Amino acid sequence: MILRKLKANEHVLTRPLWERVFDEDTTEFLDYYYTSKTEDNEIYVIEKDGEIHSMLHLNPYVLQIGKKEEGSRYIVGVATDRMYRGQGQMTELLRKAVRDMYTKKLPFTFLMPADEKIYYPHDFRFVYAAEQWEAFMANGEVPSLDAILHSGNGKRILLRPALASDCKKIAAFAEHILEEKYQIYVKRDWLYYETLLREQKSQKGGILLAETDDEIKGILVFDEEKDFSVREPLVEPGYEDIFEKGGLILKKQEKKKPMIMARILHVESLLSCMACDEDTEFQFILVDSVIRENNKIFSIKGNKEHLVVRTKPIAKGKSDGIQMISVDALTTILFGYKSLEKVEEEEQEKFSAEFKESISKLQPLNRILLNEIV
């Protein structure tokens, strides 16, 4: 068995494996994926005698994290042929990909798990729960694009599907909304929306615009592969009812759905994106069984203006009394997904009162929008 990263012109060789494992995906979607997403992604495979039996895709995104722009990779297409499962091939691929991403100083990587239990042993933890939305027609019809387009109410609200020529305008609108509301989100330029539009069309969907006086006031990603389904809308403050006025009622469900898991990679890069509510200074020893370079002492000193991160090797006999923490526990804490007490309970770790007080002064990165599909 050989583990290697494919050359760009070899990426298409993984399509047969994708078709075998993810047989629910349509030909239209795969045509989109293997012409758009594999142009600049990275694919790791395990093969024998030239035949690919296992794969992992890393799709590149630029994230806004706090006040910084940082690269990241979205892990998708993790698959192993049925007869080769249970042999540790996915573990090998994940470990190799994680170590390679660390060398690029990427703050973290993320994925949407088919089963969260698969990724827990690999230090992935949930960081983002998505709002769930349902759509209804105000006139009682079953939601569909056709029904929406024929539901004009004469109140200067226009709902229409976006065209490729709208993407620059959509990107400008979205960036304005995102930077005000979120700490972590994918940077969305016109090319992002042009790609997203192709992705949605491959799933019998698109991007729905809500306009008044030719100005975008809301955008909504939708598809009609099964029923009419929507993803989290972005709406101009003060226009929360813009879609309803246009004839489409959006109802947010009470519970969010855990959606995205993350794994910290280059700890210094992530910490440097963070800020403090007040002055703080503390140390901890990180425990990371995969990225051995992370096993060192981290010294944090910060205030409302800036945060400084320094590291040093763990010297024998000179690290007594310094708080130890696993990389998975640190992930949950920094993203503010659970309380410190809950992390202690679930990860079976014990934090000192001093450590809890100090790390609580960091502003958690908990205002997140990461609802990409691939």
Side-chain angles (χ1 to χ4, degrees):
M1 294 286 188
I2 298 174
L3 190 161
R4 68 185 182 96
K5 185 165 73 171
L6 296 180
K7 298 175 182 177
N9 62 359
E10 297 177 301
H11 286 183
V12 70
L13 298 177
T14 62
R15 179 164 177 165
L17 177 57
W18 191 300
E19 290 172 340
R20 291 195 298 274
V21 176
F22 306 116
D23 55 5
E24 71 277 10
D25 288 333
T26 64
T27 299
E28 291 79 10
F29 172 76
L30 284 178
D31 288 345
Y32 153 74
Y33 186 86
Y34 276 91
T35 55
S36 295
K37 302 301 288 188
T38 60
E39 285 184 345
D40 61 353
N41 75 347
E42 299 165 276
I43 303 179
Y44 291 79
V45 301
I46 292 178
E47 60 186 2
K48 182 179 181 181
D49 299 328
E51 184 176 349
I52 295 170
H53 298 301
S54 191
M55 68 178 178
L56 178 150
H57 297 224
L58 298 180
N59 292 350
Y61 284 97
V62 176
L63 302 183
Q64 186 72 39
I65 308 177
K67 295 182 180 180
K68 292 188 175 184
E69 290 186 17
E70 296 281 353
S72 187
R73 300 291 185 272
Y74 184 24
I75 299 176
V76 299
V78 182
T80 301
D81 259 329
R82 186 176 301 276
M83 66 182 296
Y84 290 91
R85 293 173 189 170
Q87 299 178 13
Q89 294 191 15
M90 189 197 77
T91 296
E92 290 185 48
L93 290 171
L94 276 171
R95 285 174 172 265
K96 173 62 175 171
V98 161
R99 286 194 289 263
D100 284 357
M101 286 186 281
Y102 172 85
T103 64
K104 296 181 172 68
K105 296 187 177 181
L106 303 181
F108 67 91
T109 183
F110 60 106
L111 54 80
M112 185 191 302
D115 182 352
E116 64 194 76
K117 294 176 184 176
I118 295 173
Y119 296 97
Y120 260 74
H122 302 287
D123 304 315
F124 285 83
R125 294 293 183 271
F126 276 113
V127 299
Y128 169 64
E131 294 177 343
Q132 302 296 292
W133 294 80
E134 293 181 280
F136 307 90
M137 295 301 298
N139 60 11
E141 290 186 44
V142 176
S144 69
L145 182 59
D146 285 342
I148 291 168
L149 297 181
H150 291 91
S151 67
N153 59 12
K155 294 182 180 179
R156 296 172 60 194
I157 304 298
L158 175 64
L159 301 186
R160 68 175 180 87
L163 305 173
S165 57
D166 293 311
C167 289
K168 288 185 179 180
K169 191 163 64 169
I170 296 172
F173 169 80
E175 182 64 23
H176 167 65
I177 301 297
L178 293 169
E179 67 182 0
E180 291 294 324
K181 192 173 181 180
Y182 300 104
Q183 294 165 295
I184 297 180
Y185 59 90
V186 172
K187 296 292 290 185
R188 302 186 178 190
D189 58 12
W190 68 270
L191 185 58
Y192 172 94
Y193 276 105
E194 190 176 84
T195 303
L196 179 60
L197 192 56
R198 292 199 302 272
E199 178 183 320
Q200 291 306 117
K201 286 182 177 179
S202 76
Q203 298 174 316
K204 300 180 181 178
I207 301 172
L208 190 67
L209 305 182
E211 296 178 322
T212 179
D213 297 328
D214 293 324
E215 290 189 6
I216 297 175
K217 298 300 180 182
I219 60 176
L220 182 68
V221 178
F222 72 94
D223 73 70
E224 296 185 273
E225 271 198 317
K226 295 178 181 177
D227 300 321
F228 187 85
S229 64
V230 299
R231 302 220 300 267
E232 294 160 295
L234 292 180
V235 178
E236 180 83 23
Y239 290 84
E240 287 77 11
D241 60 352
I242 186 75
F243 284 99
E244 183 173 348
K245 286 182 176 179
L248 182 66
I249 298 173
L250 300 176
K251 182 181 179 181
K252 183 166 65 174
Q253 297 180 6
E254 289 186 13
K255 290 186 177 181
K256 294 182 178 181
K257 180 182 178 181
M259 181 176 171
I260 294 295
M261 301 180 83
R263 198 235 194 254
I264 295 178
L265 300 168
H266 196 267
V267 182
E268 297 97 310
S269 295
L270 182 61
L271 285 168
S272 69
C273 296
M274 301 183 71
C276 303
D277 289 318
E278 55 184 291
D279 292 5
T280 189
E281 185 173 0
F282 61 98
Q283 290 183 318
F284 62 85
I285 296 173
L286 189 65
V287 180
D288 189 333
S289 62
V290 177
I291 304 174
R292 292 179 291 276
E293 294 84 351
N294 275 334
N295 295 318
K296 52 194 173 186
I297 299 174
F298 288 80
S299 298
I300 315 298
K301 185 176 183 179
N303 53 37
K304 291 183 178 180
E305 302 299 323
H306 65 280
L307 186 139
V308 176
V309 182
R310 292 189 173 89
T311 65
K312 60 183 179 181
I314 303 171
K316 191 172 182 179
K318 294 185 178 181
S319 58
D320 294 345
I322 300 177
Q323 177 70 58
M324 297 184 70
I325 184 171
S326 65
V327 68
D328 38 293
L330 185 65
T331 298
T332 306
I333 292 171
L334 296 188
F335 286 94
Y337 195 77
K338 294 178 180 177
S339 68
L340 285 164
E341 291 71 25
K342 195 68 175 176
V343 174
E344 283 183 303
E345 177 188 339
E346 293 186 357
E347 305 296 346
Q348 298 182 351
E349 298 185 30
K350 185 64 179 176
F351 307 135
S352 69
E354 181 182 3
F355 175 77
K356 287 196 278 190
E357 180 183 1
S358 298
I359 202 167
S360 294
K361 293 176 182 178
L362 294 180
Q363 293 177 9
L365 296 166
N366 57 3
R367 290 185 287 113
I368 302 172
L369 181 65
L370 289 176
N371 62 357
E372 277 58 44
I373 301 301
V374 292

